[in-house]
Amino acid sequence: MRLIVRQDYEEVASYVAYYVKERINQFQPTPERPFVLGLATGSSPILVYHKLVDFYAAGQVSFENVVTFNTDEYVGLPKDHPQSYHTFMWNHLFKHVNIKKENVHILDGNANNLDEECRKFEAEIAKLGGIELFLGGIGPDGHIAFNEPGSSLTSRTRVKTLAYETIIANARFFGGDISRVPKLALTVGVATVMDAREVMIVITGAHKSLALAKCVEEGVNHMWTVSAIQMHPKGLIVCDEDATLELHVKTVKYFKSIEHVHHSIIGKHNLGLQGNLLRNMVDTNQAAKRRRRLMLQSLLNDEDEKLEDEEEDEAQKAATAAVEEAGKKRKRSNSTYWEEKSALLDVNP
C-alpha cells in the first residue's frame, strides 16, 4: 500500500485527477477494450471531477471509451432529485465530458426489486472484465461507499441501512434536516471495491484523521472497512496534511521518505505511474545525477532540504496553461449553478 501526502485538498485533487487522466491515457481504451472506472460520490471527489473536466476541456483526456460504475445511491430518492447521486455525477462530471450515456452505471434506488438490481450491477462489472481503477472516499468512521462499520469485508453490492453518524454527516446536503436524509441505500460491497485491479482512496480533513490512522497503523478491521485496502496489491491512499494528525510522526515521515527517495535517487523518468521501475538503474542524465548527489549530501548533513525539480519543458507549460484556462471557464459557467443551489437550500430548510 502506498500513502501519498499533499499539503491540502487542492493539491490532493490535482494529484488524483492527474493520476486518473494518465491511467486512462496509458491504457489506450477502445470500444472493444474500454477503461472501466469505479467512481465515488460525496464531498471527497468533487474537486477531482472538476479538474478532470478541465483536462477534458484542454484536450488532454477523452472519456469516449471509458465505462463507469458508481459506488452507491439512496433508496427512494428520485433520479432527478437535487441530492440523488445520479444528479451529483451528471452535474459534477458526466455532462461536461464526452462519456456515452450507456457507459454510465449508477444503481437505481427506485427499482422494483432492489436485490435484483444489485445482482445485475455485479454481473455487469464481471461482464466487462472487472474494474481497472476504483476511485473512492471515506466517511469519518472509515466507511468506504456505504459499507458502514461492521460490514462484511467479503460483501457484495446490496441494500444497506445507513449508520446514524452517516445520516448526520449527510444532513448538510438536505438543509440540515436529518429527517429528510434517506435511511437506506444501495452500495457496492467491500469485496466489490477490492476486486478492482487498483484502488485509490482520497482522505482529506482533520475529521477523517482517526479513520486514516486506523487504516494505516492498525490491522484490517470490519469496524473500519477502508482498512481492507491493506490487503490489496495495488492500494493507494492520497491524503492531505490535516488527515495525518492522528498518525505517528514516524509513520508520516516514513511514507514521505519513500516518495522522496523514489524521485531523488531513482528519478521520476525511471518510475511508472504506479511506482514501478520502468528501466534499469543506468542513468546518464546529468540532472538526475545532480539530484542524487544533493540527496546524499542532504542525508549526510541531516538537513531537511527540498530539491528543485527540473524545469517543465515548453509543451508541459502550454498543457498546464490550457488546463488552468479550462478551469477558469468552468468556474465561471458553474457560478450560476451554485447560486441557484444555495438559494434552493435557503428556500427548503
Side-chain angles (χ1 to χ4, degrees):
M1 182 183 73
R2 290 194 291 159
L3 177 67
I4 302 295
V5 183
R6 291 294 180 262
Q7 184 60 37
D8 52 29
Y9 179 49
E10 176 77 26
E11 290 190 11
V12 167
S14 295
Y15 180 94
V16 173
Y18 177 83
Y19 193 98
V20 173
K21 171 183 75 78
E22 288 299 297
R23 284 285 277 114
I24 293 172
N25 290 338
Q26 291 177 13
F27 191 86
Q28 297 180 338
T30 65
E32 296 74 27
R33 182 176 172 266
F35 186 89
V36 184
L37 179 63
L39 295 175
T41 48
S43 58
S44 296
I46 289 179
L47 190 55
V48 175
Y49 295 155
H50 292 176
K51 290 181 179 294
L52 284 173
V53 171
D54 295 343
F55 281 132
Y56 167 74
Q60 296 185 27
V61 69
S62 171
F63 290 83
E64 183 177 5
N65 295 314
V66 173
V67 176
T68 64
F69 287 88
N70 265 87
T71 54
D72 39 36
E73 179 58 286
Y74 290 117
V75 170
L77 212 60
K79 288 183 178 181
D80 59 355
H81 189 282
Q83 299 305 329
S84 77
Y85 290 143
H86 279 77
T87 300
F88 176 95
M89 289 306 304
W90 285 99
N91 282 342
H92 289 295
L93 179 61
F94 294 150
K95 75 178 183 181
H96 305 291
V97 298
N98 64 333
I99 194 167
K100 298 174 183 176
K101 190 173 183 179
E102 61 268 25
N103 285 348
V104 173
H105 298 83
I106 304 177
L107 287 156
D108 183 2
N110 294 288
N112 292 329
N113 188 329
L114 295 177
D115 290 333
E116 181 61 23
E117 172 68 11
C118 294
R119 283 192 290 270
K120 286 167 53 181
F121 199 77
E122 288 279 347
E124 192 63 28
I125 293 175
K127 179 182 176 182
L128 289 166
I131 294 173
E132 184 68 25
L133 171 64
F134 189 98
L135 172 61
I138 67 167
D141 58 3
H143 73 256
I144 184 170
F146 274 136
N147 293 286
E148 305 284 22
S151 295
S152 169
L153 299 184
T154 61
S155 57
R156 292 288 174 182
T157 304
R158 67 205 185 286
V159 183
K160 188 68 178 172
T161 302
L162 302 187
Y164 185 63
E165 184 175 0
T166 300
I167 294 172
I168 292 176
N170 288 352
R172 69 188 189 277
F173 302 120
F174 293 85
D177 184 357
I178 62 173
S179 67
R180 295 167 57 188
V181 183
K183 308 304 186 291
L184 295 175
L186 302 183
T187 180
V188 296
V190 178
T192 310
V193 175
M194 295 303 149
D195 274 355
R197 284 179 278 281
E198 184 176 11
V199 177
M200 174 188 281
I201 303 296
V202 177
I203 304 178
T204 58
H207 62 301
K208 296 181 181 179
S209 59
L210 180 59
L212 178 61
K214 292 288 184 179
C215 172
V216 173
E217 295 184 333
E218 297 190 14
V220 177
N221 189 335
H222 69 164
M223 296 305 292
W224 302 87
T225 52
V226 69
S227 65
I229 196 174
Q230 294 180 27
M231 306 295 291
H232 200 283
K234 288 186 178 180
L236 171 62
I237 297 174
V238 187
C239 69
D240 63 3
E241 290 286 353
D242 285 348
T244 68
L245 292 177
E246 292 287 342
L247 288 173
H248 289 90
V249 173
K250 184 177 181 180
T251 300
V252 178
K253 286 188 173 182
Y254 168 74
F255 282 105
K256 284 184 176 181
S257 70
I258 291 177
E259 184 180 12
H260 186 63
V261 169
H262 276 178
H263 290 172
S264 301
I265 301 297
I266 301 175
K268 288 184 180 181
H269 55 288
N270 286 320
L271 286 171
L273 194 63
Q274 298 168 303
N276 54 305
L277 197 62
L278 293 179
R279 59 185 183 182
N280 293 331
M281 285 292 295
V282 177
D283 189 1
T284 58
N285 185 287
Q286 294 300 316
K289 287 184 176 180
R290 178 176 176 272
R291 286 198 302 271
R292 291 200 293 273
R293 185 171 64 253
L294 290 175
M295 172 63 179
L296 291 174
Q297 181 181 351
S298 174
L299 292 174
L300 290 172
N301 294 335
D302 195 26
E303 296 176 355
D304 186 20
E305 297 179 351
K306 289 186 176 181
L307 302 176
E308 295 182 354
D309 292 327
E310 295 180 64
E311 293 184 359
E312 295 179 321
D313 57 26
E314 291 303 318
Q316 182 60 40
K317 288 181 179 179
T320 301
V323 172
E324 291 176 351
E325 180 60 27
K328 292 176 183 177
K329 290 181 180 179
R330 171 183 51 76
K331 290 175 182 177
R332 288 195 295 268
S333 63
N334 284 349
S335 60
T336 303
Y337 166 77
W338 289 112
E339 290 171 2
E340 290 176 352
K341 188 167 186 177
S342 298
L344 179 62
L345 292 177
D346 291 338
V347 173
N348 300 293

